Amino acid sequence: MAYCPSRFRTVRRPTVEVAVGSVLIGGQQPIRIQSMTTSDTQDVAATVRQAIALAEVGCEIVRVTAPNVQAAKCLRDIRAQLTAAGFGSVPLVADIHFLPQAAMEAVEHVEKVRVNPGNYADKKRFAVRDYSDADYAREIERLHAAFSPLVIRCRELGRALRIGTNHGSLSDRIMNRYGDTPLGMVESALEFLRIAESHRFKSIILSMKASNPKVMIEAYRLLVERMNQESMHYPLHLGVTEAGDGEDGRIKSSIGIGSLLLDGLGDTIRVSLTEDSVYEIPVARAIADKAMSLWAEPPAAAAPGGAAARSPASVAAEAGDGVDPFHFVRRTTAGLSLGGGLTVGPEQPPRVIVRVSSVAALATALPPLASGRLLETPAEGLLVPVASAAEVEAALAATAGRTDGFLALELAPAIDPSSLAPALAGARPGGVLVRTFRAGDDLAVASWAQLARRTRQILAIDAGAQAVAALAATLQALGDEALLFTLSDVRGEAGGPPRAGAHALGAYRELIGELRRLGSRAPIWIRNTAANAVRGDNTFLSRLIEASFLTGGLLCDGLGDLVSIETEPDPTRATQVAYNVLQGAGARISKTEFVACPSCGRTLFDLQTTTQRIRAQTAHLKGVKLAIMGCIVNGPGEMADADFGYVGGAPGKINLYVGKECVQYNLPQEEADARLIALIKEHGKWRDPAPIPA
Ligand code: SF4
């Protein structure tokens, strides 16, 4: 079941090296950054301009769509002009869907060809039928005949191939046998991989993209596990497809790509945003740099496929966080009642806590007392650090009389529990006392737990796996009643030099594994602090990526019950980021979900302005999933499980979808927004936006 050398620290997966022109991918090479042009490929000048603009901001590989043979022919001039402009070392990749003829033309001109096994030489009919084993074998033979010429030509010319599976565009054959699942995605790629290997062709890179990070993460893990079984060690291209734009697009990409990179998987990445492609590069760069800063040597020097690479020994030594990495299951926790009528635990969405920097800052952070509210933002808990009994009293006094949300007090180590008993006697039940504990703190844990029980507060134990293991007897005696666990400083845990490749995502997994061994079902509070960052440069983008790595990575494994983004100094911003990460991980839906393709040479309308316009009208529809896709060739397949789709049908014309069914064809674009809203109303999913307060 092993898909990576370690779930607790980053140990890079050994792969073979694949040459894409002069750029090497995999093996000991750095993570390569790539993107795609969005111009009409037959507009050679515009495509060359875009490719140069991408290369100038650090894009190392440029993909260009080749929707037909005409466009594929243009790749010759695009290659020549790019080289003449001094960018001969930047490889081009032809993006092929459906047409082997276009692939056979493109391979003559570019360094790599990407095929989609869901539609290469296959028409998508969404047909439901049973494939007998004989039918299936015939289909594979047909594929072999259709795909082999491209493989053979790639081998002759020294080109590379990407077998790029997308969740939303699996073939009818795969859909009928495996369903719309990560397993179906993997089988789809393996069919093509086996054909390529039958021709002794090895210059292959694989991808398993989906717009849902959970699906994407599971699919890549499963692919690696299956490749390990078959002694295949090809590099991986990582990406979350149709991630959208702005903060949400960056979060979704960082969750999916980051979670895999921290597990040591991934050799080249593309961040797909519905924005100009050049804006993808700094995001991809920041993600890659963080992951590469963690790369540790494999457990033993080994060539890909060698004994050490396949040995489960290192994994076995670290096994035991109890997560099934191939199937999402939310960890079952004990229920806890917090203040303000909130609960955490089974069936509850992860709760959002916001941190205020000091007791003194509470005065400005709190809404007017007359409102009765504890919080100005839609966060559900307020965390404040306290250094003395007097500060605890001041914090409780400042928040007295407010009925929503709960107060969490971050206790300085010097505070003695006996000094707080009088102040906490009148505290609202369901507040949280959070304190750091180390190995050997058994007496302190017992004293704080006793105080928490007496004053009907919850004790949050801030400790890593090693401390929890050392405190096992004391913790088991306490049971799960009124306990939370958290880890605010991953570096404080080890008490020595950090292990190579260690990161907070792994430290939380270790902590949760230790709790499983203790039989504890206590909820977990994910704290995004500066001390938990992989690598800190203090920009908003960096903090957003860190929050996505840690919180998104854990949530996609079903772990985590409360979340605080403590790296954002502004409580309102911290709250927004927390809800956006929860939404990106599919853990808590607080607004409309947008799936928007990044656009390419097939796009039939201005995706960026259209997405922004539709978002402005529909962003309040919590729980509704809207897809905005540039073309009908791939759009309907790739919009996966969207409730409604807005898809380019022809120049200036829009097709509207309900699920995968096209219900309105060729609407003039000027009418399409209103017709989309009417459709949402017809299906009972519309509600009017809340009035803006005077
Ligand atoms: S759905 Fe968007 S990105 Fe995909 S092929 Fe169509 S226009 Fe290009």
Side-chain angles (χ1 to χ4, degrees), residues 36 65 95 97 166 241-242 270 596-604 607 628-636 638 647:
M36 194 166 179
T65 190
D95 198 54
H97 295 269
N166 279 13
T241 192
E242 286 93 35
R270 186 210 174 177
C597 80
S599 90
C600 73
R602 296 180 193 262
T603 309
L604 291 164
L607 259 162
I628 302 156
M629 310 297 281
C631 76
I632 44 167
V633 183
N634 289 328
E638 308 235 345
V647 182

